Amino acid sequence: MSAAVQLAAAGPGLAAAGHGFLSPTGVEIAFVLVGLATLGAAVLSVTTRQLVHAALWLVVALGGLAVEYLLLTAEFIAWVQVLIYVGSVVVLLLFGLMLTKAPIGRSPDADSGNRPAALTVAVAAAGALVWVVVDAFRTTWIALDKGVQGSTAVSGESLFRHWVLPFEALSVLLLAALVGAIVLSRRSGHDSGQGVGPGPGQGKEKR
Amino acid sequence: MHLAYPAVLAVLLFCTGLYGVLARRNAILVLMSVELMLNAVNLNLVAFDVWLRDTLHAGQALTLFTIAIAAAEIGIGLAIVLLVHRNRGTADIDKLRDLADPPPAGSPALHDSMAAPTDNDADQARRARRQTA
């Protein structure tokens, strides 16, 4: 997967004015290293045959993304990522794995039969998108040293000054999702006889 | 920092999630791959917001909204998967073929491979339900 990074580092003549791909700054080195770890964890998370390990590799990938947000000076997003993704979404996924009686240990049928087709589609999409993105943005430079772009003060101010209405609409959506999850996972009276669920743990996926 | 680094990382993460969605069989692993794709989009949003120095901070606000919507989506999705597992005894999306088209009468040879596992899987699901009940 580092081939793409090498592809991005194809030539110093293509770089932004004064910033070559062959003379990376410290932030760029850190970004590429953490990015490689993130990508490796993501690939392991979609290819491992142990279902619980997939969720744990997802933790590594999401944590690595939080570090990338920090490197991009979006600190508030980074901490929200840690809180919500690593803190709750992965826990929900682990609960889901346990409640659907996922096999502990290797399960040989974790991948379906269309794996070669999926690999073809993913590699083709990755090749095309990397080509397009590198071609489009090889001379674009992010000035990270001109002030923090995503501190809590800045994010909060823009969120509650310009984005209040979407924010409130989103809270209504979260409430609707909460009620929907409760209604979906509630055991209704007439079909409780044929249920095969693990019993009283059914309500665990609600926050 | 070059914008190409976060953009390429987002592309590769998205394609990893794409592979997971297409190749995985367990519904919860498919949901995890969807989370990877959403995170790739988030990384793009943050990177472009920092690059453009948007005064409204639209990219970061949208990232927060995407994270909240992803949390809602994973809650509903897991509730649905648990409901399916409770009713069918399986969370394999390959076995949920109730909405598949029945093989047309004119061309049975084309759809034999599609039709055969349906009966088997229905039997298996029934057997699994009987075992666990």
Side-chain angles (χ1 to χ4, degrees):
Chain A
M1 284 301 174
S2 67
V5 179
Q6 288 167 1
L7 185 64
L14 308 175
H19 304 289
F21 275 104
L22 289 187
S23 58
T25 60
V27 178
E28 282 178 334
I29 294 173
F31 193 94
V32 169
L33 288 180
V34 177
L36 285 179
T38 304
L39 195 62
V43 168
L44 277 174
S45 150
V46 298
T47 54
T48 179
R49 297 202 178 279
Q50 311 197 27
L51 303 188
V52 180
H53 285 198
L56 298 179
W57 282 117
L58 190 68
V59 171
V60 178
L62 298 179
L65 268 173
V67 177
E68 306 281 44
Y69 293 152
L70 274 183
L71 289 176
L72 283 169
T73 71
E75 28 185 279
F76 183 62
I77 305 282
W79 299 127
V80 166
Q81 167 98 0
V82 170
L83 272 179
I84 293 187
Y85 269 113
V86 183
S88 79
V89 166
V90 174
V91 172
L92 278 184
L93 285 169
L94 280 172
F95 266 123
L97 281 177
M98 301 293 167
L99 289 180
T100 55
K101 297 186 190 138
I104 307 293
R106 290 180 178 280
S107 56
D109 58 346
D111 291 331
S112 66
N114 49 12
R115 196 175 167 191
L119 198 61
T120 309
V121 169
V123 169
L129 283 173
V130 165
W131 181 30
V132 169
V133 159
V134 168
D135 195 38
F137 297 116
R138 63 190 166 191
T139 59
T140 310
W141 181 259
I142 306 176
L144 285 179
D145 46 358
K146 289 185 188 164
V148 173
Q149 188 73 357
S151 66
T152 311
V154 175
S155 294
E157 199 177 316
S158 76
L159 199 61
F160 287 104
R161 180 163 294 165
H162 306 291
W163 300 97
V164 172
L165 215 56
F167 189 80
E168 297 298 331
L170 200 67
S171 65
V172 176
L173 182 135
L174 267 181
L175 180 68
L178 183 70
V179 173
I182 293 174
V183 168
L184 275 180
S185 60
R186 197 168 59 103
R187 217 176 255 274
S188 55
H190 54 82
D191 68 354
S192 61
Q194 60 175 351
V196 295
Q202 280 294 318
K204 286 276 174 55
E205 80 278 7
K206 292 174 295 273
R207 286 171 297 273
Chain B
M1 182 190 294
H2 282 281
L3 184 58
Y5 290 129
V8 167
L9 178 62
V11 162
L12 293 177
L13 276 179
F14 185 87
C15 291
T16 310
L18 185 66
Y19 167 78
V21 167
L22 291 177
R24 285 302 207 180
R25 183 172 279 178
N26 193 320
I28 295 179
L29 295 183
V30 172
L31 282 177
M32 284 162 56
S33 307
V34 171
E35 293 299 311
L36 273 179
M37 294 165 82
L38 283 169
N39 269 287
V41 174
N42 283 347
L43 181 62
N44 252 342
L45 282 173
V46 169
F48 278 83
D49 180 81
V50 175
W51 170 45
L52 291 171
R53 313 211 134 252
D54 189 10
T55 48
L56 289 184
H57 290 281
Q60 300 197 15
L62 270 177
T63 305
L64 286 177
F65 296 164
T66 313
I67 289 176
I69 289 177
E73 171 249 333
I74 206 81
I76 295 283
L78 280 179
I80 292 174
V81 169
L82 287 185
L83 198 64
V84 167
H85 178 262
R86 204 191 300 160
N87 286 331
R88 303 294 181 91
T90 179
D92 280 3
I93 48 180
D94 283 359
K95 294 183 181 168
L96 306 175
R97 289 188 158 271
D98 280 0
L99 289 181
D101 280 337
S107 58
L110 266 179
H111 291 269
D112 264 352
S113 58
M114 298 286 288
T118 311
D119 298 338
N120 283 341
D121 290 343
D123 283 346
Q124 278 179 5
R126 222 170 289 134
R127 219 173 300 132
R129 214 179 304 153
R130 223 175 292 131
Q131 279 175 0
T132 46

